[in-house]
Amino acid sequence: MLKSIFYPTKQNAFIWLSAIYLLFLLYLGKISPLTILFAYFLETIIIGIFNALKMLWSILYGKSEKSSFGLILFFLFHYGFFVAIQSIFGFALFGIEGNGIIKEPFNLVENYSTILTLEDIKYALPAVLVTHLGKFITDYIHNEKYKKFTAKEIMFKPYVRIFLQQFVVIISFFFIVFSKAGVIAAVLLILFRLVLDLILDSVKENSKTIDFLSEKLKNEKTSIEEIKKQLIHFTE
């Protein structure tokens, strides 16, 4: 099963390339450990944008009703509110670092503008963006997943991934900022994210991963097929 998770394929190629690219930039000294944190922090917004695109694709070409366009606006509203609250908390943490980059956590527009104008963010952020763009094209569109899920089902999918992602970022923040092993912590963050993304990506129909997980989670109240459906739904 481990081979089916970690072995490079066309589907997970963008995940591997992104991690290798960030490690290479870190090795060359082109990006700092803190910038890697910022890039993963900004990933929350990128995930929301692509989730809205998935909803749009489902409405235009999939099984969703054409009247579902309002769901996209509703998603952008509640997801935007979620990102705003998360950003305030995140910027408060980044302000602890004390280098003057983040001064007031409630100034969201100013803080995001400051991060985007950092010299090395232009190297790190494309790695995150290309990963999601590649997955959107090679997995969601190529495998016609927009025909399997409605816009309403897609609307709440990002939250499980976001929770895991931000938990890792917050833990890594303390190691990078308050230890002398910032580079090592950044490397571990990239590697941990690589493993996490590969595991989530491996949860798909007829995969060994989903068979293993559904077997472990099976119970008298829920069938294995229903468990598989829920796993695919929450790891999309």
Side-chain angles (χ1 to χ4, degrees):
M1 188 184 72
L2 291 177
K3 183 179 179 181
S4 64
I5 295 175
F6 297 107
Y7 191 80
T9 64
K10 288 182 179 180
Q11 183 170 316
N12 64 26
F14 288 97
I15 297 174
W16 274 104
L17 290 173
S18 174
I20 294 171
Y21 172 73
L22 288 175
L23 288 171
F24 185 64
L25 288 178
L26 193 62
Y27 172 75
L28 293 178
K30 291 292 186 179
I31 56 176
S32 67
L34 191 61
T35 297
I36 292 176
L37 276 180
F38 283 143
Y40 282 135
F41 186 71
L42 289 170
E43 187 180 16
T44 303
I45 298 175
I46 295 173
I47 289 174
I49 293 172
F50 277 102
N51 200 69
L53 283 174
K54 289 177 180 179
M55 294 175 66
L56 177 62
W57 230 262
S58 177
I59 295 171
L60 294 177
Y61 308 109
K63 58 191 295 187
S64 297
E65 297 180 359
K66 302 304 179 183
S67 59
S68 301
F69 284 105
L71 288 175
I72 299 178
L73 294 177
F74 178 67
F75 165 75
L76 292 174
F77 173 78
H78 71 72
Y79 190 80
F81 181 78
F82 169 80
V83 170
I85 299 299
Q86 174 192 269
S87 297
I88 293 171
F89 176 73
F91 288 139
L93 282 178
F94 290 136
I96 297 175
E97 201 266 342
N99 60 9
I101 295 178
I102 303 298
K103 297 178 181 178
E104 172 54 59
F106 288 91
N107 293 339
L108 299 182
V109 175
E110 180 181 342
N111 290 335
Y112 275 115
S113 298
T114 300
I115 292 175
L116 290 173
T117 55
L118 292 175
E119 180 64 26
D120 50 355
I121 197 69
K122 65 183 179 182
Y123 299 114
L125 192 57
V128 178
L129 180 60
V130 170
T131 298
H132 288 279
L133 177 61
K135 183 174 173 59
F136 176 71
I137 295 172
T138 61
D139 183 42
Y140 187 76
I141 295 180
H142 179 72
N143 294 326
E144 297 185 337
K145 287 189 174 181
Y146 51 87
K147 295 181 179 179
K148 301 175 183 178
F149 301 105
T150 64
K152 187 175 182 179
E153 290 174 321
I154 297 170
M155 183 165 57
F156 296 104
K157 283 189 175 186
Y159 290 104
V160 174
R161 182 181 291 269
I162 290 299
F163 175 79
L164 294 172
Q165 169 207 344
Q166 293 303 309
F167 177 77
V168 173
V169 169
I170 290 170
I171 296 299
S172 301
F173 168 83
F174 289 100
F175 282 100
I176 289 175
V177 172
F178 297 111
S179 74
K180 297 180 180 179
V183 174
I184 295 176
V187 170
L188 292 176
L189 170 60
I190 295 171
L191 293 178
F192 189 85
R193 277 298 311 271
L194 171 65
V195 172
L196 177 62
D197 288 341
L198 288 174
I199 291 174
L200 292 175
D201 188 71
S202 69
V203 179
K204 53 183 179 291
E205 291 181 351
N206 303 318
S207 68
K208 293 182 180 179
T209 306
I210 199 169
D211 289 339
F212 174 80
L213 291 175
S214 59
E215 186 66 29
K216 293 295 183 181
L217 295 172
K218 71 176 182 181
N219 54 71
E220 297 179 355
K221 296 182 179 180
T222 312
S223 66
I224 289 182
E225 291 304 316
E226 181 61 28
I227 292 174
K228 288 183 178 181
K229 182 179 178 180
Q230 292 300 320
L231 285 171
I232 293 174
H233 179 78
F234 286 112
T235 56
E236 170 60 32

